[in-house]
Amino acid sequence: MTIQASPTPAVQTDFLSASDAARLVARVGVVGVLRMIATAIEDDYLRWQDFDKSARTAAHSANGVIELMPVADARDYAFKYVNGHPINTRYGLPTVMAFGALADVATGMPRFVSELTLTTALRTAATSVMVAKRLARPDSRSMALIGNGSQSEFQALAFIALLGVRELRLFDIDPATSQKLLRNLEPFLHEFGATAHILPSVQEAVRGADIVTTVTADKAYATILHASMVEPGMHINAVGGDCPGKTELEAAVLQRAQVFVEYEPQTRIEGELQQMPADFAVTEFWRVLQGQAAGRTAAQQITVFDSVGFALEDYSALRCMHALARSAGLLAQIELIPTLDDPKDLFAMVRQAQAAHTALHADRKAA
């Protein structure tokens, strides 16, 4: 990898807080941000070969998982810290929480630190719709949304606003969660002339749907979608199965479908693919965008996007949110890296702080 020259590092690091990220999305509009992030992700997938890629590093516990997700090109290094703890709702915490950073490859200077909890939901939905534009039938107008938790609004809005879905068929094991989703979607449904209905079971929700999105939270080998429920021509957007020991689709669903993934070495470990033999054939989606592989090839074909989330998408979202926040004047600055008169004398920081402390103590004593 060739390292490019970099300007003199800034003393301060740009910072986007969770509350300012929400203000930014409110100013630009959820749909506008989804569109921008989807475009950024597609642009970066089109230069897939430029990036150093690896599967994320995961630390598993009884209640969940904590993961680190790095990626880099010749200019930028990015990483995300993210967890998945379904138990968190008992304590008033989100199931998924995240933050991340963009740094300069040439110097290692961190330029941007950001919340990524809200941004992760946005980038996941943006990735889903970017893929569905190539894999779902062009006339797709109905989507079953199985799992109506914290990511569901973003998935729904991406498919309504950016793909033309006009009917949402909702199911969650907690009816109150589906009602929450309906309340949040109401103004958007009116704006786009779409409808949403709560159905009493997964089977009834998916019956006749053009697209099925599964985004459940439990860390378990679950079978949310059975092969008997899958109809010819469906596109399945499997979002929730994103770590070892967590699935949503019956293996027979994959056997009936053409399966597409983000980064195969990671998806083999974490996605629906963990149920399948090592030689089960899949297509990395960047190959579709670059014209190296076909997407959907027939109206009756069943397609599956085994989405686990990949670091490149976080990099795309980070650079997009950084640019938007700068334009909106919503960036703060933090002193993350020390400023040194002599970069070889780190101890000077302690010496200077000690001198300042001693002087302050003397002034107080004299007073």
Side-chain angles (χ1 to χ4, degrees):
M1 183 174 71
T2 303
I3 296 179
Q4 299 174 349
S6 174
T8 303
V11 175
Q12 301 291 321
T13 298
D14 291 338
F15 174 64
L16 182 65
S17 69
S19 57
D20 281 338
R23 292 186 187 98
L24 177 62
V25 174
R27 284 191 192 183
V28 178
V30 179
V31 171
V33 175
L34 284 168
R35 183 177 288 108
M36 292 176 193
I37 293 178
T39 299
I41 294 170
E42 182 169 334
D43 289 345
D44 289 331
Y45 266 60
L46 284 169
R47 58 186 193 94
W48 181 267
Q49 293 89 341
D50 291 347
F51 292 92
D52 289 338
K53 299 171 287 290
S54 62
R56 56 188 160 206
T57 301
H60 295 273
S61 64
N63 292 332
V65 62
I66 297 173
E67 300 168 329
L68 289 176
M69 302 172 63
V71 72
D73 66 4
R75 179 180 184 272
D76 297 318
Y77 174 91
F79 79 88
K80 180 170 79 172
Y81 164 104
V82 62
N83 77 304
H85 287 71
I87 197 174
N88 278 3
T89 53
R90 302 181 190 179
Y91 310 117
L93 293 171
T95 297
V96 175
M97 298 176 286
F99 66 89
L102 278 176
D104 180 52
V105 165
T107 65
M109 174 68 195
R111 298 195 308 271
F112 180 48
V113 174
S114 178
E115 79 78 41
L116 285 180
T117 306
L118 176 59
T119 303
T120 291
L122 289 159
R123 76 86 159 124
T124 303
T127 302
S128 293
V129 79
M130 178 196 71
V131 172
K133 284 182 178 180
R134 275 77 180 182
L135 300 186
R137 297 193 326 271
D139 62 348
S140 295
R141 293 295 176 267
S142 64
M143 181 171 80
L145 186 50
I146 312 303
N148 300 161
S150 60
Q151 297 226 8
S152 60
E153 286 85 354
F154 302 94
Q155 292 285 333
L157 285 174
F159 280 85
I160 289 172
L162 304 183
L163 199 74
V165 164
R166 290 297 174 261
E167 180 194 17
L168 293 173
R169 305 165 62 84
L170 313 178
F171 174 77
D172 195 285
I173 57 174
D174 179 5
T177 301
S178 297
Q179 291 291 345
K180 174 271 305 181
L181 174 58
L182 273 181
R183 287 193 301 272
N184 287 335
L185 288 180
E186 185 176 358
F188 300 97
L189 295 173
H190 178 75
E191 177 183 352
F192 289 98
T195 61
H197 312 283
I198 299 173
L199 280 301
S201 68
V202 173
Q203 187 167 4
E204 292 180 70
V206 304
R207 187 180 296 124
D210 301 314
I211 300 167
V212 177
T213 291
T214 56
V215 59
T216 59
D218 286 343
K219 187 185 179 187
Y221 287 118
T223 304
I224 306 301
L225 189 67
H226 293 264
S228 61
M229 301 175 186
V230 176
E231 301 172 9
M234 275 183 172
H235 171 59
I236 300 163
N237 179 39
V239 178
D242 58 358
C243 69
K246 184 181 179 188
T247 61
E248 297 178 310
L249 308 186
E250 184 182 14
V253 173
L254 302 177
Q255 292 166 347
R256 290 183 59 190
Q258 181 71 33
V259 179
F260 298 82
V261 302
E262 292 141 313
Y263 182 59
E264 186 176 346
Q266 180 173 295
T267 311
R268 291 279 178 191
I269 299 168
E270 301 179 350
E272 302 298 327
L273 285 188
Q274 64 191 280
Q275 307 176 73
M276 309 306 289
D279 60 354
F280 181 78
V282 300
T283 301
E284 289 188 332
F285 185 72
W286 67 269
R287 299 184 67 234
V288 176
L289 288 178
Q290 292 190 10
Q292 298 186 26
R296 173 175 290 275
T297 57
Q300 297 300 299
Q301 184 182 33
I302 297 166
T303 54
V304 171
F305 177 42
D306 188 0
S307 172
V308 298
F310 184 53
L312 182 55
E313 298 149 11
D314 298 308
Y315 164 70
S316 306
L318 274 165
R319 68 180 184 83
C320 188
M321 294 293 279
H322 191 199
L324 287 173
R326 182 188 292 114
S327 296
L330 285 173
L331 289 174
Q333 277 70 48
I334 55 175
E335 188 187 7
L336 192 62
I337 303 302
T339 302
L340 301 171
D341 293 331
D342 178 357
K344 295 183 179 181
D345 188 5
L346 182 61
F347 194 80
M349 292 184 66
V350 180
R351 188 177 66 249
Q352 291 163 5
Q354 182 62 56
H357 173 76
T358 300
L360 178 63
H361 182 72
D363 288 345
R364 287 177 176 174
K365 190 173 181 180

